[in-house]
Every structure is written in structure tokens, then in C-alpha cells.
Amino acid sequence: MRRLQVVSGVELVGLVNQRELNGRRGRVCDFDNRRGRYIIDVSGQRAALQAANVIIPSGTRAMVTGLVTETQYNGLWATIQGFDRQLLRYTVKIGQGKQLRLRLENC
């Protein structure tokens, strides 16, 4: 069974082929498992985007994926605490106290 959280208020960033969408806000409405992309609704227009192009708002639960050095956290659920725009990293909290700094594509 696939679980998807509909998330409003995501921000689109770093798009090269659809630059006009950079800085716009949208809503995650689906996930394309085959292509590994979020389906984002931006004012009625749909875009299939990589996780590296979507900033998820604080308070959202996200699964940790793709970690190479701290693989024990892959597959665990975390809560996004904030996003550092300079470092392009989320601060996420796992469980009762473990905090990680993750790239966009790792949530």
C-alpha cells in the first residue's frame, strides 16, 4: 500500500527547463514511483519534479532516503523542523531527539 501525504505550500526551486515556476508555491498531489518524481499542482498546472526541486514546509513528515554514510536512518520517518537556504539543507527530527541536516533529495 502506498502512502502519500498531500502537502500544500511547497516551494519550487532550481528548475532549469521550467524557470517560470521557480519561487512559486504549489501542492504535492501525487508521486510517480516509476520516475521518482513528485506531482505538483501549481495554480491548476501539473509538474512532475524531482525532490531536489521541491522545498517542503516545516512540520511536514517525510521519509529519509538515499543516505550513503548514515544508512541506518534510511526508511525512517522524520519531521521537518526548518530549511537553511544558504546550505540548502533541511533540519529534521527523528524520534525523540535525533536531528539530522539533509539535502532536499534525502526527504
Side-chain angles (χ1 to χ4, degrees):
M1 180 175 150
R2 182 179 79 168
R3 287 190 247 173
L4 175 74
Q5 180 178 197
V6 175
V7 179
S8 296
V10 298
E11 182 181 351
L12 310 183
V13 295
L15 296 165
V16 175
N17 294 331
Q18 298 176 323
R19 291 182 192 277
E20 70 279 3
L21 294 179
N22 286 324
R24 304 262 319 263
R25 298 220 178 246
R27 177 177 58 96
V28 174
C29 55
D30 203 354
F31 186 78
D32 183 338
N33 284 316
R34 185 178 54 79
R35 293 174 45 201
R37 293 175 180 252
Y38 290 115
I39 308 302
I40 309 291
D41 183 342
V42 183
S43 302
Q45 177 184 0
R46 295 268 170 118
L49 303 176
Q50 297 176 21
N53 298 115
V54 181
I55 298 174
I56 301 168
S58 296
T60 304
R61 299 224 345 121
M63 183 178 286
V64 177
T65 62
L67 297 181
V68 176
T69 57
E70 297 189 82
T71 58
Q72 72 270 24
Y73 299 114
N74 288 330
L76 296 180
W77 288 96
T79 301
I80 295 174
Q81 302 293 298
F83 183 73
D84 185 319
R85 289 184 178 275
Q86 279 190 306
L87 298 176
L88 297 177
R89 299 280 191 277
Y90 292 113
T91 299
V92 302
K93 183 177 177 183
I94 298 174
Q96 292 298 319
K98 180 64 177 174
Q99 284 195 335
L100 300 173
R101 308 258 315 158
L102 302 176
R103 294 182 302 207
L104 292 168
E105 58 268 24
N106 295 122
C107 284

